[in-house]
Amino acid sequence: MDVASVAAVTRAIDAVTVDRVKERHPRAPLHLESSTMPSAPSTASATESLTSAESIRLVLDTVEARNPNEPEFLQAVHEVLESISPVLEAHPEFVDGGILERLVEPERQILFRVPWVDDAGRLQVNRGFRVQFSSVLGPYKGGLRFHPSVNLSIIKFLGFEQIFKNALTGQGIGGAKGGSDFDPHGRSNAEIMRFCQSFMNELYRHLGEHTDVPAGDIGVGAREIGYLFGQYRKVTNRHESGMFTGKGVQWGGAEVRTEATGYGAVFFVEEMLGVHGETLHGKRVGISGSGNVAIYAIDKARQLGATPVTASDSSGYVVDDAGIDVDLLRQIKEVERARISEYAARRPGARYVEGARPWEVPVDVAIPSATQNELDQGDARALIANGVRAVAEGANMPSTPEAIELLQSAGVLFGPGKAANAGGVATSALEMSQNAARQRWSFDDSEAKLRAIMADVHDAAFQAAERYGRPGDYVVGANSAGFERVAHAMLAQGVI
Ligand code: GLU
C-alpha cells in the first residue's frame, strides 16, 4: 500500500471511530475526534465520558480494522483489554487520556532486509523486525526471536505483552520485541554468525543502552547474542555493555540470566501454591519444550523436590516417570542440537510419543514452555480430567483463550506468562543495573533477588485481582497491575 492509501485508510478508520462514538455517545469527550492532537484537559464529567466497556469496544474495533491479518496480535490485545475494564472504571482519566488508543499502536516499527550468503555460496534473504512498543517506563526491552514462523503479527503480540510484563516487574524497562523468519536449524556456526552480523548491520542504528536493549528468545541464545553484540561493537565503535542482556558471564553477562525464565516460572508456581498452604514438593510436573525455559524449569522443579516428567519439541514429547535428567536433555538439545526422541533412546524407562503434546500425561502442575497457542481447549480438558492443580506459562501466550477459561472455571490456579515468565526479563534488568554500575553479583545473591522479584510479581498480580473484585484471577491481576503502572506514566508524560 502506498503512503496515500495508508493515509486514506487511517482517515476512514478515524471517521468510523468518531461516528460510532457520536452515535453511541453524543457528548463524548473531544479527544476522540483527533487522537493525534493534544487535547485541552477534558471538562466532561464522568457521566459524559464513555463507559469503560464502550471505550474498550471502540479500541478493539479500531485495532481489528487496522490489523486484519495479525491474529496473534489481536489475541494478545483482546486478552489485555478485556480484563482491564474495572481499572478503567476506577480511573476515568485513563479513558479521557486516550491511553488505550495510544498503547495499541507501537511507538515505532522497524522492518528490514537481512541478506547473507550461505556455506554453499548462495544468497539468502530474510526479513528482520523490531517493534518498539513503549518506552514510557524505560528503554525498549525485549528479546529477539529467530524462527521461520516469525512475522509482524507474532512480533507485535510479543512486544505488546512485553509492555505489561516488564511493568509488572517493577523495574524501569519499556516493551519491545524483534527477530527474523530465519531458521537456525541445520545451519553451521559460520552461517549463524554471518546472519547475525547482517541482521545487526541494520538494527544497530535503532539500539543503544538508553534506547533499546534486546535479549534472546526462541532461536537466540548465548551464541547468537555474542555474534550480535560483537557486530554492534564493531559498527558503532562502542563497547556499550548495557546494550544487550543475556551476554556471556565472562564479558558483562549476569549470573542467573540464563536460568532466570525457567527458575522464575517455578518460583511463581511455589507462590501460587503457597497461598493455599501447598508446595511443589512431591508433585508431578508436566513441562513442554526443551529450550532454555523448559530446561531450567525442569532443573528448578527437581531441586525443589518435584518430579518433572515431560519435555517436548515440535516432533513430539518424552515422558520419564523417574524425572527428566536435565544433563542428558541439555546434551541432546544444547550440544548436539538433536531431536527429543534421542532422549528416550538413551534413557531407560523413558518413552517417546511422536506427533503429540505432553498435556495428556497426568500431572499436578503444568508449565507450558514451548511457544504460543500450544495448549488448547482439548489439552486443558485432559489436564483438568487428570486433576491438574496449577498451570504457569513459561512461554509467551502458550494457552489459547478458551483453554484459560476452562482452566480457571475448573478452579485450576493459572499463572499467565506476563507474571509467570517475567523472571527472565526481570533478571535482564538486573544485568543492566550491574553493567551500569560496573559490578558483578554472585549467583546466590542474584538467585535470591530473582526469587524476591517473583514473590513481588505474584503479590502485585494477586492483590490487583482482589482490588478489582476478581480474587484469584491472575490474568486480571497481572494485566491490571502492569497496565496501571504504564497508564499512570503515560498520563504524566503527556500526549507523546
Ligand atoms: N524473551 C524474553 C521474554 O519473553 C526475555 C526478554 C529480555 O530479557 O529482554 O521476556
Side-chain angles (χ1 to χ4, degrees):
M1 221 187 280
D2 60 20
V3 175
S5 354
V6 171
V9 170
T10 308
R11 271 197 307 277
I13 291 168
D14 285 347
V16 170
T17 307
V18 172
D19 285 352
R20 277 212 205 107
V21 176
K22 283 182 176 156
E23 235 168 65
R24 291 192 207 173
H25 229 284
R27 287 190 295 155
L30 277 178
H31 76 264
L32 281 159
E33 303 216 18
S34 174
S35 54
T36 52
M37 292 284 288
S39 59
S42 172
T43 50
S45 72
T47 49
E48 285 176 308
S49 300
L50 290 174
T51 66
S52 61
E54 278 173 326
S55 161
I56 289 168
R57 189 62 255 162
L58 281 169
V59 175
L60 285 174
D61 286 352
T62 310
V63 177
E64 279 166 18
R66 276 203 174 125
N67 310 282
N69 301 315
E70 298 179 3
E72 294 84 5
F73 175 55
L74 294 176
Q75 183 182 335
V77 173
H78 269 269
E79 196 238 75
V80 172
L81 266 54
E82 279 163 7
S83 64
I84 56 167
S85 180
V87 184
L88 297 184
E89 262 151 43
H91 293 281
E93 71 275 20
F94 293 165
V95 176
D96 292 346
I99 297 296
L100 294 186
E101 288 87 339
R102 286 191 272 157
L103 259 182
V104 295
E105 200 59 31
E107 287 177 12
R108 187 178 299 107
Q109 308 185 55
I110 303 148
L111 267 74
F112 53 102
R113 179 173 67 199
V114 189
W116 57 284
V117 178
D118 69 17
D119 286 346
R122 278 186 305 257
L123 179 88
Q124 303 277 349
V125 178
N126 285 96
R127 190 169 274 188
F129 302 86
R130 185 71 177 169
V131 174
Q132 299 176 327
F133 238 109
S134 170
S135 58
V136 75
L137 292 178
Y140 302 111
K141 184 81 198 85
L144 297 174
R145 176 177 291 193
F146 292 169
H147 192 270
S149 65
V150 163
N151 56 35
L152 190 58
S153 173
I154 300 275
I155 298 298
K156 281 174 68 181
F157 113 66
L158 290 163
F160 188 71
E161 294 243 296
Q162 202 83 46
I163 307 172
F164 307 101
K165 182 195 324 196
N166 294 4
L168 196 54
T169 68
Q171 289 156 319
I173 40 180
K177 205 81 184 194
S180 174
D181 55 3
F182 171 69
D183 185 359
H185 274 111
R187 289 294 175 192
S188 72
N189 204 37
E191 288 177 317
I192 300 278
M193 184 172 72
R194 285 198 295 277
F195 175 80
C196 289
Q197 291 174 342
S198 178
F199 185 84
M200 197 47 101
N201 282 344
E202 169 57 35
L203 192 61
Y204 84 92
R205 68 188 92 247
H206 309 286
L207 305 180
E209 61 187 358
H210 300 295
T211 306
D212 185 347
V213 182
D217 197 82
I218 294 172
V220 178
R223 174 180 58 168
E224 292 74 17
I225 290 171
Y227 294 147
L228 291 161
F229 183 87
Q231 188 68 0
Y232 179 85
R233 183 169 61 77
K234 171 150 178 130
V235 294
T236 59
N237 194 28
R238 284 168 67 87
H239 190 118
E240 262 175 75
S241 49
M243 192 286 298
F244 229 105
T245 61
K247 299 180 293 292
V249 286
Q250 303 305 324
W251 49 277
E255 294 286 358
V256 188
R257 176 61 191 89
T258 310
E259 296 84 355
T261 313
Y263 277 20
V266 173
F267 292 149
F268 194 86
V269 173
E270 282 272 86
E271 294 295 328
M272 289 199 297
L273 292 173
V275 172
H276 302 273
E278 297 169 46
T279 69
L280 264 169
H281 195 87
K283 293 202 164 49
R284 272 169 68 92
V285 183
I287 290 169
S288 61
S290 47
N292 172 267
V293 181
I295 286 173
Y296 292 103
I298 290 170
D299 191 28
K300 186 49 71 181
R302 281 203 91 136
Q303 288 175 23
L304 295 178
T307 309
V309 291
T310 60
S312 68
D313 66 14
S314 54
S315 56
Y317 72 87
V318 290
V319 50
D320 184 348
D321 290 323
I324 298 280
D325 176 341
V326 191
D327 294 334
L328 178 59
L329 185 64
R330 287 190 64 178
Q331 170 66 24
I332 291 167
K333 284 308 212 176
E334 289 187 342
V335 181
E336 299 171 26
R337 299 185 193 268
R339 305 309 297 173
I340 195 79
S341 51
E342 223 10 67
Y343 179 92
R346 291 194 214 168
R347 170 97 166 156
R351 198 158 45 83
Y352 171 62
V353 183
E354 172 94 25
R357 300 193 286 222
W359 313 125
E360 57 200 22
V361 177
V363 289
D364 304 305
V365 172
I367 309 183
S369 306
T371 194
Q372 63 274 356
N373 293 327
E374 53 154 319
L375 194 163
D376 66 15
Q377 226 169 344
D379 300 318
R381 272 199 206 96
L383 284 167
I384 294 164
N386 286 326
V388 75
R389 178 80 182 99
V391 175
E393 295 187 321
N396 291 314
M397 207 169 77
S399 321
T400 64
E402 299 77 21
I404 298 173
E405 202 178 325
L406 273 177
L407 291 166
Q408 287 186 321
S409 46
V412 176
L413 299 170
F414 181 79
K418 282 186 209 81
N421 74 38
V425 77
T427 308
S428 278
L430 300 183
E431 185 169 328
M432 291 162 74
S433 303
Q434 289 167 80
N435 293 150
R438 301 202 183 279
Q439 285 179 353
R440 261 189 83 171
W441 305 340
S442 71
F443 190 96
D444 290 349
D445 188 21
S446 307
E447 189 181 352
K449 286 191 168 70
L450 168 63
R451 190 153 197 163
I453 289 170
M454 293 315 294
D456 287 349
V457 165
H458 171 273
D459 294 353
F462 185 83
Q463 284 159 14
E466 300 240 305
R467 204 164 56 244
Y468 289 115
R470 295 283 288 275
D473 187 334
Y474 289 98
V475 175
V476 167
N479 287 337
S480 303
F483 172 74
E484 266 183 341
R485 203 177 154 219
V486 173
H488 281 300
M490 286 176 74
L491 275 189
Q493 293 179 28
V495 178
I496 300 293

